[in-house]
């Protein structure tokens, strides 16, 4: 047993929970295989449990691993995700949720917004995920932020890494008042000051496929790993919950992307402990 696993029995601050679910992926399945791969990379002896700024994530009382939630069919999965996250929040744990496809973010946010009604969201993605529906599915992984904004579950939604927006999604962004920092307007000194509790949703395709090839929708021209980490480190915000989604191990033959997920997990976790 390594040091990380030793800490599970202690009272914890953060919770890891996996949702191995990709039924709402429109193009390619595989994201359901991600949570165990991310955990393995996180625990790997190839690195250590320290964040870059010096937070020891292997310290006692840091993590509770709630394991993976066994998927169920149809709309019941959405309730199961929402209930699982609500339970962790009720126990005063700050969840870090491992997907799965991006559809899991809507039920997660339903739970989070009940505890934090003035929620802000920072969303890393190549895509705005604002489709009213895709291929007849209103719960598509291309639609979670349309549902979230329709229901008024967040007071502010900021999107970064965006570089695949069509006309419909531009209209949706305008309708919901979404702040999109398109990739073509990216600056390396970009920073945000959030005055309300912040949720970070990290779709791995926000990164350039050169850094994170293990995704279902490779979109060139994205963020470097360094740029994404830099933005997380510069944030002025109280980060209360996060997700890392859309890693597809079937597209990741050399486990490159799994290691990037683990790195982001560390930096986001360190931010949450600030
Ligand atoms: Mn995406
Ligand atoms: Mn997405």
């Amino acid at each position: 047993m390594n040091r990380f696993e030793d800490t599970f029995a202690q009272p914890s601050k953060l919770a890891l929970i996996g949702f191995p679910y990709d039924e709402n992926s429109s193009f390619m399945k595989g994201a359901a295989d991600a949570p165990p791969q991310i955990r393995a990379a996180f625990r790997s002896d190839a690195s250590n449990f320290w964040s870059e700024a010096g937070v020891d994530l292997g310290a006692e009382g840091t993590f509770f691993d709630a394991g993976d939630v066994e998927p169920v069919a149809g709309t019941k999965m959405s309730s199961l995700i929402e209930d699982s996250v609500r339970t962790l929040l009720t126990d005063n744990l700050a969840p870090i949720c491992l997907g799965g496809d991006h559809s899991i973010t809507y039920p997660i946010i339903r739970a989070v917004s009940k505890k934090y009604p003035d929620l802000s969201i920072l969303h890393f993605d190549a895509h705005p995920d604002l489709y009213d529906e895709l291929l007849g599915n209103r719960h598509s992984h291309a639609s979670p932020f349309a549902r979230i904004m329709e229901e008024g579950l967040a007071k502010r939604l900021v999107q970064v890494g965006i570089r695949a927006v069509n006309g419909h999604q531009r209209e949706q962004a305008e309708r919901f008042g979404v702040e999109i920092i398109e990739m073509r307007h990216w600056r390396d000194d970009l920073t945000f000051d959030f005055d309300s509790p912040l949720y970070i949703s990290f779709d791995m395709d926000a990164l350039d496929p050169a850094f994170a090839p293990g995704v279902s929708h490779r979109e060139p021209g994205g963020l470097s790993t360094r740029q994404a980490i830099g933005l997380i480190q510069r944030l002025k915000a109280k980060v209360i919950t996060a997700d890392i989604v859309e890693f597809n191990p079937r597209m990741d033959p050399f486990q490159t992307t799994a290691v990037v997920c683990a790195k982001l997990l560390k930096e986001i976790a360190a931010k949450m402990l600030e």
Side-chain angles (χ1 to χ4, degrees):
M1 183 181 280
N2 68 27
R3 225 176 127 215
F4 178 72
E5 286 165 328
D6 278 341
T7 67
F8 292 167
Q10 306 295 325
S12 306
K13 297 187 186 78
L14 304 178
L16 264 188
I17 186 165
F19 298 110
Y21 183 68
D22 60 14
E23 289 304 307
N24 289 308
S25 294
S26 57
F27 178 68
M28 186 187 289
K29 304 297 183 201
D33 301 337
Q37 305 268 347
I38 299 173
R39 281 196 186 82
F42 182 54
R43 292 172 184 172
S44 168
D45 290 334
S47 189
N48 59 48
F49 290 120
W50 291 75
S51 77
E52 291 186 353
V55 177
D56 181 6
L57 299 163
E60 279 189 14
T62 303
F63 273 101
F64 167 71
D65 194 333
D68 291 342
V69 174
E70 191 71 30
V72 293
T75 53
K76 279 185 190 154
M77 187 60 189
S78 188
S79 311
L80 190 53
I81 294 169
E82 188 177 337
D83 292 346
S84 310
V85 173
R86 185 183 300 115
T87 302
L88 297 172
L89 290 168
T90 303
D91 287 345
N92 285 319
L93 291 160
I96 302 179
C97 308
L98 308 177
D101 71 40
H102 219 154
S103 69
I104 68 168
T105 301
Y106 168 55
I108 295 169
I109 294 275
R110 280 176 63 99
V112 173
S113 69
K114 287 197 177 83
K115 181 165 181 173
Y116 302 101
D118 58 343
L119 191 68
S120 295
I121 301 173
L122 176 60
H123 169 203
F124 291 80
D125 207 320
H127 317 92
D129 292 353
L130 288 166
Y131 277 96
D132 184 53
E133 51 85 20
L134 191 68
L135 307 172
N137 181 5
R138 288 174 59 78
H139 296 285
S140 166
H141 70 156
S143 302
F145 294 93
R147 301 291 84 77
I148 287 163
M149 297 311 277
E150 271 169 5
E151 290 186 23
L153 302 180
K155 76 164 194 177
R156 185 179 180 197
L157 172 58
V158 177
Q159 300 182 323
V160 296
I162 304 296
R163 56 195 187 278
V165 197
N166 65 8
H168 167 66
Q169 296 206 86
R170 274 191 206 283
E171 284 169 18
Q172 291 280 85
E174 197 161 322
R175 177 180 158 207
F176 296 128
V178 182
E179 299 166 55
I180 301 185
I181 313 299
E182 291 185 48
M183 204 56 226
R184 64 199 170 109
H185 299 137
W186 174 266
R187 289 174 37 172
D188 276 346
D189 62 351
L190 184 68
T191 189
F192 298 103
D193 200 339
F194 289 97
D195 63 1
S196 73
L198 182 67
Y199 182 101
I200 294 179
S201 185
F202 203 111
D203 180 327
M204 290 303 292
D205 68 31
L207 300 177
D208 193 276
F211 297 90
V215 295
S216 301
H217 301 261
R218 288 180 182 156
E219 187 72 35
L223 293 166
S224 70
T225 307
R226 190 71 253 160
Q227 287 171 324
I229 290 171
L231 180 58
I232 291 164
Q233 291 176 341
R234 287 192 301 276
L235 281 178
K236 292 187 179 68
K238 178 67 190 156
V239 183
I240 46 87
T241 310
D243 66 52
I244 298 173
V245 297
E246 295 286 342
F247 164 39
N248 186 341
R250 294 180 199 174
M251 298 289 280
D252 195 37
F254 302 107
Q255 290 85 46
T256 321
T257 313
V259 178
V260 179
C261 291
K263 177 79 174 173
L264 291 168
L265 169 57
K266 274 195 257 185
E267 292 303 312
I268 290 170
K271 193 74 191 179
M272 291 169 75
L273 293 169
E274 265 181 12

